[in-house]
Amino acid sequence: MARNLARILGGCGSLVPFMKTPACPPRNSSSIPPARTLVQMLFSKSRDFSLPNSSWGEEMMRLYEFYNGQSDVETEGEENQGREWKRLPSYNRSLKYATGGVYLSKIIQSKARLFTRNIREPGAAFEYVLFINKEKERCVCVFQAGHLLEGPPGHVHGGAIATMIDTVTGTHASAISAPVMTANLNIDYRSPIPLGSTVLIESTLEKTEGRKLYISCKVTSTDGSKRHTDATALFVSISVAHLLKG
Amino acid sequence: MARNLARILGGCGSLVPFMKTPACPPRNSSSIPPARTLVQMLFSKSRDFSLPNSSWGEEMMRLYEFYNGQSDVETEGEENQGREWKRLPSYNRSLKYATGGVYLSKIIQSKARLFTRNIREPGAAFEYVLFINKEKERCVCVFQAGHLLEGPPGHVHGGAIATMIDTVTGTHASAISAPVMTANLNIDYRSPIPLGSTVLIESTLEKTEGRKLYISCKVTSTDGSKRHTDATALFVSISVAHLLKG
């Protein structure tokens, strides 16, 4: 199933990271705010979590600046500058009124937050920024693991690592073929990740077969010397009609 | 790698759910509170998150009472009453001073929280309770998904589902052979889980081969009619000496 904000835009078949305005009409007017309100909710007040904050450590900042320095600045209506990477913005809301949410209570809908961005305290949980390369063959994520992600003493929970792998590979898959659903994640845990550390998560498109996208992923120390985790992910691109079934 | 509070007790090789007192001495006296303080930290003030709270819905309560009614009440020094299940308590701290944490800053150590219990607002994130059967062949978890676990609009994030699968199978494995490390998780996502819903997560021991434990897991609707997720997990039991290497 498609799992995150970056992957699908409420059944509109668009990608949030590349979206400017919602493209499809609401289907349940009783529980859906007007389109302009939705735009305001998403873009007027939304914080972009992919930008640096005071909790980012030296290694996180160094790698952010490295990839950002090789990235196109997104300027509406202008050609990109031909650089290798593109930073993907990241918010803590989905367009939950478009699909699925219609049978949820309004309380749940209004309070819902993206799992990886559900804690506002900077540095406490998932601090990360994703860059995608221009040809979309690769995606790289710089991830700083906060103290609220603990599994074994002093180390990151396996579920938190799985969450980041799902997020990075899913964002990558959706950039190639949106909307998509995650069909499988297969994760080999090789070496624990200490809390507070910064690691690199790299996603590579292996092949496509019809509607299927096969992606591999690895989590390493920032100098590449230590392999923490290996994974493969399978995504299936779906029709908008399928999404709208909820 | 072993990933949660229920799985390992800071390298002591004991299980937190069954532990009464820490069994091994501290290895770095400068950063480790006295043993009595540790016990106080864990059991005097700790909230047991496996007990019902006001956020638990009707289905969560019904299933809790069903399994709890078939469970032994843990009474120190007394024989169990021969019932089928046993509820496992759940806290939000690890004994982080015993392993791994020695090279973390004291700030991170003191603020660290178990990933699945890092939000105190009842009902907002992971509400769950685990029961293990007496022969330890099966483990069952009743899980109510809060609004902060969103992935696709109105549904639970794939990483949050992976987190619960890691938690349930890992707790199960550690009850059979503690301490253990998660070596692999392989997850098939079949049907999305709506936010706010309650589901069953069942873990079954498939086989053991030397130090390896093979466990299967499924996530279903509470009446069993809908299969949300299938998974397999591989755990490797490790020596205390291995854990102490950090």
mmCIF file of all heavy atoms in Angstrom, chain A residues 21 27 35 41 80 98 104 107 118 122 124 134 140 157 166-167 184 189 208 222 227 230:
data_model
loop_
_atom_site.group_PDB
_atom_site.id
_atom_site.type_symbol
_atom_site.label_atom_id
_atom_site.label_comp_id
_atom_site.label_asym_id
_atom_site.label_seq_id
_atom_site.Cartn_x
_atom_site.Cartn_y
_atom_site.Cartn_z
ATOM 1 N N THR A 21 -0.923 22.780 -6.928
ATOM 2 C CA THR A 21 -2.309 22.918 -6.478
ATOM 3 C C THR A 21 -3.020 21.581 -6.606
ATOM 4 O O THR A 21 -2.690 20.778 -7.468
ATOM 5 C CB THR A 21 -3.090 23.930 -7.343
ATOM 6 O OG1 THR A 21 -2.968 23.531 -8.716
ATOM 7 C CG2 THR A 21 -2.583 25.331 -7.166
ATOM 8 N N ARG A 27 -14.864 14.654 -3.282
ATOM 9 C CA ARG A 27 -15.980 13.783 -3.630
ATOM 10 C C ARG A 27 -17.025 13.700 -2.527
ATOM 11 O O ARG A 27 -18.028 13.047 -2.674
ATOM 12 C CB ARG A 27 -15.485 12.394 -4.017
ATOM 13 C CG ARG A 27 -14.872 11.603 -2.886
ATOM 14 C CD ARG A 27 -14.323 10.269 -3.405
ATOM 15 N NE ARG A 27 -13.813 9.480 -2.315
ATOM 16 C CZ ARG A 27 -14.261 8.266 -2.007
ATOM 17 N NH1 ARG A 27 -15.205 7.705 -2.703
ATOM 18 N NH2 ARG A 27 -13.754 7.607 -0.993
ATOM 19 N N ALA A 35 -11.615 23.994 -1.926
ATOM 20 C CA ALA A 35 -10.279 23.765 -2.484
ATOM 21 C C ALA A 35 -9.286 24.817 -2.012
ATOM 22 O O ALA A 35 -8.145 24.503 -1.703
ATOM 23 C CB ALA A 35 -10.362 23.761 -4.009
ATOM 24 N N MET A 41 -4.305 25.183 3.800
ATOM 25 C CA MET A 41 -3.875 24.256 4.842
ATOM 26 C C MET A 41 -2.509 23.670 4.512
ATOM 27 O O MET A 41 -1.649 23.525 5.361
ATOM 28 C CB MET A 41 -4.868 23.092 4.965
ATOM 29 C CG MET A 41 -6.127 23.438 5.721
ATOM 30 S SD MET A 41 -7.402 22.175 5.462
ATOM 31 C CE MET A 41 -6.546 20.674 5.919
ATOM 32 N N ASN A 80 15.153 24.256 -15.077
ATOM 33 C CA ASN A 80 16.107 23.937 -14.020
ATOM 34 C C ASN A 80 17.528 24.215 -14.504
ATOM 35 O O ASN A 80 17.776 24.391 -15.699
ATOM 36 C CB ASN A 80 15.936 22.496 -13.531
ATOM 37 C CG ASN A 80 16.255 21.480 -14.610
ATOM 38 O OD1 ASN A 80 17.246 21.598 -15.295
ATOM 39 N ND2 ASN A 80 15.395 20.484 -14.748
ATOM 40 N N ALA A 98 -9.543 13.509 0.582
ATOM 41 C CA ALA A 98 -9.821 13.061 -0.776
ATOM 42 C C ALA A 98 -10.159 11.572 -0.849
ATOM 43 O O ALA A 98 -11.021 11.175 -1.602
ATOM 44 C CB ALA A 98 -8.636 13.368 -1.685
ATOM 45 N N LEU A 104 -13.796 7.969 8.200
ATOM 46 C CA LEU A 104 -13.183 8.239 9.498
ATOM 47 C C LEU A 104 -13.929 9.380 10.164
ATOM 48 O O LEU A 104 -14.541 10.215 9.501
ATOM 49 C CB LEU A 104 -11.726 8.642 9.332
ATOM 50 C CG LEU A 104 -10.783 7.596 8.743
ATOM 51 C CD1 LEU A 104 -9.414 8.220 8.527
ATOM 52 C CD2 LEU A 104 -10.683 6.390 9.661
ATOM 53 N N ILE A 107 -12.859 14.022 13.798
ATOM 54 C CA ILE A 107 -11.810 14.261 14.802
ATOM 55 C C ILE A 107 -10.507 13.615 14.355
ATOM 56 O O ILE A 107 -9.448 14.235 14.358
ATOM 57 C CB ILE A 107 -12.247 13.707 16.176
ATOM 58 C CG1 ILE A 107 -13.399 14.536 16.717
ATOM 59 C CG2 ILE A 107 -11.077 13.706 17.164
ATOM 60 C CD1 ILE A 107 -14.014 13.999 17.988
ATOM 61 N N ASN A 118 5.319 13.368 12.984
ATOM 62 C CA ASN A 118 4.256 13.578 13.973
ATOM 63 C C ASN A 118 4.737 14.202 15.280
ATOM 64 O O ASN A 118 3.920 14.475 16.165
ATOM 65 C CB ASN A 118 3.490 12.270 14.234
ATOM 66 C CG ASN A 118 4.330 11.204 14.925
ATOM 67 O OD1 ASN A 118 5.438 11.485 15.372
ATOM 68 N ND2 ASN A 118 3.801 9.995 15.005
ATOM 69 N N PRO A 122 12.121 19.635 17.470
ATOM 70 C CA PRO A 122 13.233 19.388 16.546
ATOM 71 C C PRO A 122 14.255 18.415 17.147
ATOM 72 O O PRO A 122 14.628 18.531 18.315
ATOM 73 C CB PRO A 122 13.856 20.782 16.363
ATOM 74 C CG PRO A 122 12.756 21.736 16.677
ATOM 75 C CD PRO A 122 11.962 21.065 17.767
ATOM 76 N N ALA A 124 13.981 15.323 18.018
ATOM 77 C CA ALA A 124 13.530 14.268 18.930
ATOM 78 C C ALA A 124 13.292 12.942 18.217
ATOM 79 O O ALA A 124 13.474 11.879 18.804
ATOM 80 C CB ALA A 124 12.256 14.704 19.641
ATOM 81 N N LYS A 134 18.260 13.622 -11.084
ATOM 82 C CA LYS A 134 17.426 14.112 -12.178
ATOM 83 C C LYS A 134 16.829 12.998 -13.028
ATOM 84 O O LYS A 134 15.689 13.083 -13.470
ATOM 85 C CB LYS A 134 18.247 15.049 -13.081
ATOM 86 C CG LYS A 134 18.257 16.478 -12.588
ATOM 87 C CD LYS A 134 19.030 17.364 -13.535
ATOM 88 C CE LYS A 134 18.347 17.438 -14.899
ATOM 89 N NZ LYS A 134 19.141 18.249 -15.857
ATOM 90 N N VAL A 140 18.593 9.717 -2.436
ATOM 91 C CA VAL A 140 19.443 9.634 -1.259
ATOM 92 C C VAL A 140 18.790 10.415 -0.123
ATOM 93 O O VAL A 140 18.157 11.452 -0.348
ATOM 94 C CB VAL A 140 20.877 10.150 -1.555
ATOM 95 C CG1 VAL A 140 20.888 11.631 -1.871
ATOM 96 C CG2 VAL A 140 21.816 9.861 -0.406
ATOM 97 N N HIS A 157 15.262 1.716 16.898
ATOM 98 C CA HIS A 157 14.291 0.616 16.786
ATOM 99 C C HIS A 157 14.247 0.100 15.340
ATOM 100 O O HIS A 157 14.285 0.895 14.391
ATOM 101 C CB HIS A 157 12.918 1.161 17.185
ATOM 102 C CG HIS A 157 11.894 0.118 17.483
ATOM 103 N ND1 HIS A 157 11.336 -0.682 16.512
ATOM 104 C CD2 HIS A 157 11.319 -0.264 18.647
ATOM 105 C CE1 HIS A 157 10.446 -1.506 17.069
ATOM 106 N NE2 HIS A 157 10.432 -1.271 18.367
ATOM 107 N N ASP A 166 10.860 2.446 4.074
ATOM 108 C CA ASP A 166 9.575 2.565 3.371
ATOM 109 C C ASP A 166 9.395 3.975 2.812
ATOM 110 O O ASP A 166 8.945 4.173 1.682
ATOM 111 C CB ASP A 166 8.444 2.221 4.343
ATOM 112 C CG ASP A 166 7.086 2.141 3.637
ATOM 113 O OD1 ASP A 166 7.031 1.699 2.480
ATOM 114 O OD2 ASP A 166 6.083 2.540 4.265
ATOM 115 N N THR A 167 9.772 4.957 3.611
ATOM 116 C CA THR A 167 9.618 6.355 3.201
ATOM 117 C C THR A 167 10.508 6.700 2.005
ATOM 118 O O THR A 167 10.048 7.302 1.022
ATOM 119 C CB THR A 167 9.954 7.281 4.391
ATOM 120 O OG1 THR A 167 9.000 7.036 5.435
ATOM 121 C CG2 THR A 167 9.925 8.745 3.999
ATOM 122 N N ASN A 184 5.741 -5.067 -1.007
ATOM 123 C CA ASN A 184 6.644 -5.860 -0.154
ATOM 124 C C ASN A 184 7.840 -5.038 0.297
ATOM 125 O O ASN A 184 8.375 -4.229 -0.455
ATOM 126 C CB ASN A 184 7.148 -7.096 -0.939
ATOM 127 C CG ASN A 184 8.185 -7.902 -0.146
ATOM 128 O OD1 ASN A 184 9.382 -7.707 -0.283
ATOM 129 N ND2 ASN A 184 7.706 -8.781 0.717
ATOM 130 N N TYR A 189 18.786 -6.730 8.690
ATOM 131 C CA TYR A 189 19.443 -5.878 9.685
ATOM 132 C C TYR A 189 20.851 -6.420 9.926
ATOM 133 O O TYR A 189 21.019 -7.561 10.341
ATOM 134 C CB TYR A 189 18.640 -5.873 10.983
ATOM 135 C CG TYR A 189 17.267 -5.244 10.840
ATOM 136 C CD1 TYR A 189 16.133 -6.026 10.652
ATOM 137 C CD2 TYR A 189 17.121 -3.869 10.876
ATOM 138 C CE1 TYR A 189 14.876 -5.440 10.509
ATOM 139 C CE2 TYR A 189 15.874 -3.278 10.737
ATOM 140 C CZ TYR A 189 14.760 -4.070 10.554
ATOM 141 O OH TYR A 189 13.521 -3.487 10.414
ATOM 142 N N THR A 208 11.910 -2.290 -13.791
ATOM 143 C CA THR A 208 10.450 -2.181 -13.818
ATOM 144 C C THR A 208 9.928 -3.310 -14.701
ATOM 145 O O THR A 208 10.568 -3.689 -15.689
ATOM 146 C CB THR A 208 9.979 -0.822 -14.372
ATOM 147 O OG1 THR A 208 10.488 -0.675 -15.708
ATOM 148 C CG2 THR A 208 10.470 0.325 -13.517
ATOM 149 N N THR A 222 27.886 7.515 7.218
ATOM 150 C CA THR A 222 27.984 8.588 6.228
ATOM 151 C C THR A 222 29.252 8.494 5.374
ATOM 152 O O THR A 222 29.278 9.000 4.264
ATOM 153 C CB THR A 222 27.927 9.976 6.906
ATOM 154 O OG1 THR A 222 28.933 10.030 7.924
ATOM 155 C CG2 THR A 222 26.569 10.220 7.526
ATOM 156 N N ARG A 227 27.945 -0.913 6.863
ATOM 157 C CA ARG A 227 26.646 -1.247 6.296
ATOM 158 C C ARG A 227 25.714 -1.578 7.444
ATOM 159 O O ARG A 227 25.887 -2.573 8.136
ATOM 160 C CB ARG A 227 26.806 -2.471 5.398
ATOM 161 C CG ARG A 227 25.639 -2.757 4.496
ATOM 162 C CD ARG A 227 25.725 -1.913 3.243
ATOM 163 N NE ARG A 227 24.926 -2.443 2.156
ATOM 164 C CZ ARG A 227 25.378 -2.598 0.916
ATOM 165 N NH1 ARG A 227 26.616 -2.274 0.616
ATOM 166 N NH2 ARG A 227 24.588 -3.054 -0.035
ATOM 167 N N ASP A 230 20.298 -3.602 4.754
ATOM 168 C CA ASP A 230 20.019 -3.783 3.319
ATOM 169 C C ASP A 230 18.536 -4.080 3.164
ATOM 170 O O ASP A 230 17.939 -4.735 4.028
ATOM 171 C CB ASP A 230 20.811 -4.967 2.747
ATOM 172 C CG ASP A 230 22.282 -4.653 2.592
ATOM 173 O OD1 ASP A 230 22.606 -3.482 2.341
ATOM 174 O OD2 ASP A 230 23.089 -5.582 2.753
#
